[in-house]
Amino acid sequence: MLVESIVRKTLGVKSHVVKQVAQEGNELVVTLDVYRSRRLPCSVCGTLGKVRDRLKLRSWKHVPLWGMPVRLTYAPARVRCAECGAVRVEAIPWSQGKCRLSSGLIWLLSAWCKLLPWKQVAQLFGVHWNTVAAAVRQAVAYGLDHRDLAGVLYIGIDELSRQKGHVYVTNVYDLQEKRLLWSGEGRSQDTLRAFFEEHGEALKQRVKGVCCDMWQPYIDMVKEHLPEATLVFDKFHIMQHLLKAVDDVRREEARELKKNNPELLKRTRYIWLKNPENLTDKQRGRLGHLEQLNLRCNRAYLLKESFREFWEYKRKGWAKRFLKKWFWWATHSRLKPMRDFAWMLRRHEEDILSYFDERISNGAVEGMNNKAKVVSHRCYGFRTASNYITALYHCLGKLPEPELVHRFL
Ligand SMILES: [Zn+2]
């Protein structure tokens, strides 16, 4: 009797009863039934209707009890639905569509998958890896169906590389809610086009700003699909490009010094790249010494340090004047990497200065991108990109879950 009431509770059923609980092998088999006199909801429209007949027996995997796998069996009823004017299968309360897992099991497995690798969840519950994957897919499908995108005003587009840069994923974030909106394989125009085909029309009406890297395929797609939105290049990406330029200068100079003074620039990489306030005392001392010498590194360093001011301007006009001055300085520095960086800024000037119209950056979702990397490392088991993307939605999408989950877990 106890098992029956537990099963009924975890299924959340009222009209259905447990007819029998039997042990078959190491499995608990629960046979369910329904009162003939009950009126049951139509699976299409939800209207209650009289039972007409029964289909053949179906089974579902359910939440294990005391470590024993549980299988539910039940012959679904067909009802006469007055609303539809047809005979319909009842809406089965513990499952959706053709899914062979009970909703309880789906939400239990998927909740654990936010914390553990899928493989471990499979072991923990004694189910096949495919069952876990199916559960997460179902949970994600439910969440995507029920989420609300009406409040999305600012989006950030970022790429993620997997498997040492051989595989790319493009992620689109809601910058305010800090959630993953969309994820797709690759980083081409076609990748992002798929996003806009799905959501473009709805977003067009309300998105005010889009933040992304200076990556032409993204730029073209954003301008084509969201012409009204302000495109802003991500300042963290811009700073990364700048740091790379400084590092290129150091590397070249170190190579030239190899013969005469190989020690001078050894292990100075972070001294030039870090913000001075973050240097250790030892690094600061070394920098103080290096600054006395007439090094190309040092000229690049000063350019970088002065460029940090750019982001602090209150007004766009001032920022623009600063950029012009900085451009002159950088292009006359006789440092090729710095010159190249300056020209890149010039080419994209308009979309860099737009930062002063909409102060957005992907910094807000930087932590999410790190989390996405964790999800990726965690799961060598993601044999396909589509499973990986499912896991990303699951962990980063802040997807809604049905009431049942809160009651159940
Ligand atoms: Zn109906």
Side-chain angles (χ1 to χ4, degrees):
M1 296 312 108
L2 175 62
V3 178
E4 289 163 17
S5 88
I6 291 174
V7 172
R8 287 195 74 204
K9 217 171 222 168
T10 62
L11 289 176
V13 293
K14 290 197 182 79
S15 304
H16 299 75
V17 289
V18 175
K19 203 164 100 185
Q20 193 192 21
V21 179
Q23 189 181 344
E24 280 182 23
N26 71 335
E27 208 177 32
L28 278 181
V29 179
V30 177
T31 310
L32 290 140
D33 205 356
V34 66
Y35 298 119
R36 240 206 123 74
S37 56
R38 287 292 169 103
R39 294 163 71 84
L40 299 171
C42 156
S43 57
V44 176
C45 70
T47 309
L48 294 176
K50 263 195 179 157
V51 175
R52 178 181 180 266
D53 56 8
R54 305 285 290 269
L55 297 172
K56 61 178 196 292
L57 224 53
R58 269 183 68 187
S59 53
W60 295 263
K61 261 186 216 281
H62 189 45
V63 181
L65 284 183
W66 303 297
M68 278 179 96
V70 174
R71 182 156 56 90
L72 309 172
T73 65
Y74 175 65
R78 294 203 304 168
V79 296
R80 280 180 219 283
C81 178
E83 187 68 34
C84 298
V87 175
R88 300 277 196 214
V89 184
E90 65 171 310
I92 295 165
W94 58 84
S95 128
Q96 285 195 328
K98 296 228 175 340
C99 187
R100 304 189 47 182
L101 311 174
S102 76
S103 307
L105 185 59
I106 286 171
W107 293 106
L108 182 66
L109 293 177
S110 67
W112 279 97
C113 286
K114 285 186 182 169
L115 307 169
L116 295 176
W118 293 6
K119 205 173 148 194
Q120 279 185 29
V121 175
Q123 281 165 354
L124 191 64
F125 288 91
V127 295
H128 198 273
W129 188 90
N130 288 334
T131 305
V132 175
V136 178
R137 266 199 296 275
Q138 281 277 321
V140 167
Y142 176 92
L144 292 178
D145 264 3
H146 290 81
R147 70 179 172 172
D148 183 6
L149 298 183
V152 179
L153 296 178
Y154 298 100
I155 61 176
I157 303 168
D158 210 352
E159 67 177 44
L160 196 69
S161 76
R162 293 184 70 209
Q163 293 168 9
K164 293 177 185 137
H166 291 299
V167 184
Y168 283 93
V169 171
T170 297
N171 290 338
V172 182
Y173 295 102
D174 174 349
L175 290 179
Q176 283 178 305
E177 291 294 322
K178 297 192 177 41
R179 60 178 168 164
L180 179 69
L181 289 180
W182 188 87
S183 183
E185 202 180 346
R187 56 165 179 170
S188 65
Q189 277 199 359
D190 287 341
T191 312
L192 209 51
R193 185 178 288 120
F195 165 71
F196 284 115
E197 274 168 9
E198 226 174 291
H199 299 291
E201 275 311 307
L203 293 177
K204 216 182 208 166
Q205 319 296 331
R206 50 179 178 262
V207 167
K208 291 207 234 165
V210 181
C211 186
C212 70
D213 191 10
M214 292 176 275
W215 175 244
Q216 206 57 43
Y218 290 169
I219 299 168
D220 293 343
M221 279 293 106
V222 171
K223 294 205 164 170
E224 182 184 328
H225 292 273
L226 297 174
E228 302 291 317
T230 306
L231 177 65
V232 179
F233 286 136
D234 182 38
K235 73 173 184 183
F236 294 98
H237 276 120
I238 294 174
M239 290 309 279
Q240 264 171 27
H241 287 292
L242 176 57
L243 292 185
K244 171 144 194 319
V246 173
D247 205 41
D248 286 348
V249 172
R250 176 195 60 86
R251 237 184 280 192
E252 210 189 299
E253 195 164 31
R255 208 177 305 132
E256 281 170 27
L257 286 167
K258 221 172 193 170
K259 253 192 204 151
N260 301 324
N261 197 352
E263 290 303 311
L264 187 68
L265 288 178
K266 244 192 194 151
R267 283 189 291 277
T268 59
R269 181 162 186 236
Y270 291 102
I271 294 180
W272 305 113
L273 298 187
K274 266 181 163 178
N275 293 343
E277 61 271 20
N278 298 334
L279 291 175
T280 63
D281 286 343
K282 203 173 153 203
Q283 288 173 326
R284 197 168 293 135
R286 191 139 178 232
L287 178 63
H289 168 66
L290 290 165
E291 276 174 326
Q292 319 273 315
L293 313 169
N294 185 20
L295 290 168
R296 293 209 299 274
C297 271
N298 191 45
R299 289 203 323 267
Y301 172 79
L302 293 174
L303 275 166
K304 175 208 69 162
E305 278 305 302
S306 103
F307 189 77
R308 285 168 60 198
E309 274 171 49
F310 174 67
W311 309 105
E312 306 300 324
Y313 280 97
K314 297 269 184 298
R315 301 249 292 271
K316 191 175 178 176
W318 296 344
K320 191 174 178 175
R321 242 166 288 151
F322 172 87
L323 200 59
K324 207 171 163 193
K325 243 173 41 197
W326 196 90
F327 177 81
W328 192 90
W329 191 12
T331 47
H332 288 75
S333 66
R334 285 170 288 131
L335 303 169
K336 187 170 181 300
M338 302 309 283
R339 216 166 53 212
D340 291 346
F341 174 77
W343 274 106
M344 183 175 68
L345 295 184
R346 173 62 56 99
R347 278 197 305 276
H348 295 293
E349 188 173 354
E350 193 192 329
D351 298 318
I352 290 169
L353 286 166
S354 61
Y355 174 76
F356 298 92
D357 299 323
E358 295 281 4
R359 283 175 196 258
I360 51 174
S361 78
N362 284 347
V365 291
E366 188 60 33
M368 299 192 62
N369 237 359
N370 289 334
K371 218 168 148 191
K373 279 178 204 150
V374 173
V375 172
S376 168
H377 287 313
R378 208 202 253 171
C379 304
Y380 299 105
F382 293 140
R383 290 153 219 183
T384 62
S386 114
N387 280 329
Y388 175 58
I389 286 169
T390 301
L392 286 181
Y393 278 125
H394 189 51
C395 293
L396 306 174
K398 292 194 179 168
L399 296 175
E401 294 168 341
E403 270 306 298
L404 166 121
V405 180
H406 306 289
R407 196 184 65 211
F408 192 77
L409 298 174

